[in-house]
Amino acid sequence: HRARLIAQPRPQRRKNPAPDSATALGCGSTRPPWHGVLCLRVLPWRLLHVPQPNETPEPKARGTIFLGFRAAAEDVFGKAGLEAVRAALSAPARERTLGVVVANAMLPERDVLEWYQVVLDGPARGDDEAFRRFLRSMINHGFGRVRKALLVTLTPYQIMDRAAELWRHDHDTGTLECSHSPGVGVLTLRDHVYTQTRVSRLAIAEIYRHCGNLSRVKKVTETHGMQPDGSLRVVLTLQF
C-alpha cells in the first residue's frame, strides 16, 4: 500500500491564468490587453490621474481679476496698449485671460504675475506710476459700481476688518492679516506668490492703498517691504 502511494502521481495544482490588462483595470474582461484602453473610458475620472506624494495644487485667483486687467489696459493705455499686452503674453496666459473668461472661474496666479510684468515692461514702459494707474483702473473696474459705492460708505478700518475675507474670496492660497490703530493700518501677506517679486509686491501695496483711498478718508499713503519670515508687510498711513 505504501508503494502504491509513492508511485501514484501527485495531482497538479491548476494555475490561474494571469489577468489581462482589461481584467486588472476592473473591466471584468478577458479580451486582449489592448482592450484595457477602451475600458478606461468607463472608469471613474479620479483613476485617470494619480497625484504624486509631493504634488501641490497650483495657486489660483478668481477670474474677475483678469476682467479688470483687460478693461484697465485699454482704459489707461488705449487699444494699442491692450494689443501690446496681448502680443507679449505667453500663449497659455493669453488664451486663459484674453479669451472667454468666466468671472467665478479660478485661474493660475502665475497669469496674474505675468500680466503685472508684461504691463510694467510694455505699455507702462517701466514707469512705476504708469503701472500704478493701471492698478487703480483695474480696481475701479473690478469692484464694479455697486461695490465701489459701498466703499465710500465705509471707513478704512472697516475695510481692513473685512480684508482677510475678501482675500479668501479671490485667492485660494495665502493668508492676509490686518491690524490698525488710529491713523495707521498694517496688512501682512504670508505664504503667497505675490510676495516673491518686486512688481507683485508693488502691485499689492498699491491695491491696498487705493482701496483705502476709496473709503471715507482724505488721503492714504503706503510703504511696504519684505519681512525676515518671507511675508510682505504693507503700512498704510491715513489722513482724515
Side-chain angles (χ1 to χ4, degrees):
H1 182 68
R2 177 178 176 82
R4 285 199 302 272
L5 288 176
I6 294 174
Q8 184 179 0
R10 299 177 64 181
Q12 297 294 320
R13 179 181 297 177
R14 184 177 179 181
K15 296 182 179 180
N16 294 327
D20 60 33
S21 58
T23 304
L25 287 170
C27 298
S29 172
T30 57
R31 298 184 185 183
W34 54 263
H35 184 69
V37 177
L38 300 179
C39 290
L40 284 175
R41 299 188 64 177
V42 299
L43 288 174
W45 69 267
R46 293 178 183 84
L47 298 182
L48 302 180
H49 173 70
V50 180
Q52 299 302 311
N54 60 347
E55 184 175 305
T56 56
E58 181 175 19
K60 293 184 178 180
R62 199 164 296 278
T64 49
I65 294 174
F66 300 99
L67 296 176
F69 281 172
R70 288 158 56 167
E74 185 169 355
D75 180 37
V76 176
F77 305 113
K79 290 185 178 180
L82 178 58
E83 290 307 309
V85 170
R86 186 189 303 274
L89 287 172
S90 65
R94 181 166 56 247
E95 181 178 355
R96 283 189 294 263
T97 66
L98 288 174
V100 177
V101 177
V102 179
N104 286 328
M106 299 299 286
L107 301 177
E109 292 278 18
R110 56 190 161 92
D111 291 348
V112 176
L113 298 177
E114 187 171 342
W115 260 88
Y116 285 159
Q117 198 65 58
V118 164
V119 169
L120 180 62
D121 294 342
R125 301 181 182 277
D127 182 9
D128 285 355
E129 183 50 40
F131 181 62
R132 288 176 184 269
R133 288 199 303 272
F134 163 78
L135 295 169
R136 293 194 291 270
S137 179
M138 182 269 291
I139 290 295
N140 294 341
H141 286 287
F143 269 129
R145 293 181 179 179
V146 175
R147 293 176 70 184
K148 188 177 177 182
L150 287 174
L151 286 177
V152 178
T153 68
L154 302 175
T155 69
Y157 307 122
Q158 290 173 317
I159 294 176
M160 283 184 274
D161 288 339
R162 301 180 185 183
E165 178 183 352
L166 294 173
W167 174 269
R168 289 191 298 269
H169 179 267
D170 288 340
H171 307 274
D172 65 357
T173 57
T175 303
L176 182 61
E177 302 169 357
C178 306
S179 62
H180 52 79
S181 57
V184 177
V186 178
L187 301 98
T188 304
L189 180 61
R190 304 181 187 279
D191 304 320
H192 197 269
V193 293
Y194 290 175
T195 68
Q196 298 173 7
T197 67
R198 173 191 174 274
V199 65
S200 59
R201 293 191 290 268
L202 171 63
I204 288 300
E206 177 60 19
I207 288 170
Y208 293 163
R209 188 204 68 78
H210 185 57
C211 287
N213 213 44
L214 292 174
S215 65
R216 291 163 48 191
V217 66
K218 289 182 179 179
K219 185 178 181 182
V220 181
T221 57
E222 64 85 9
T223 58
H224 65 275
M226 291 290 292
Q227 301 304 295
D229 63 357
S231 63
L232 172 64
R233 185 170 185 258
V234 181
V235 179
L236 303 180
T237 302
L238 315 172
Q239 298 178 19
F240 292 91

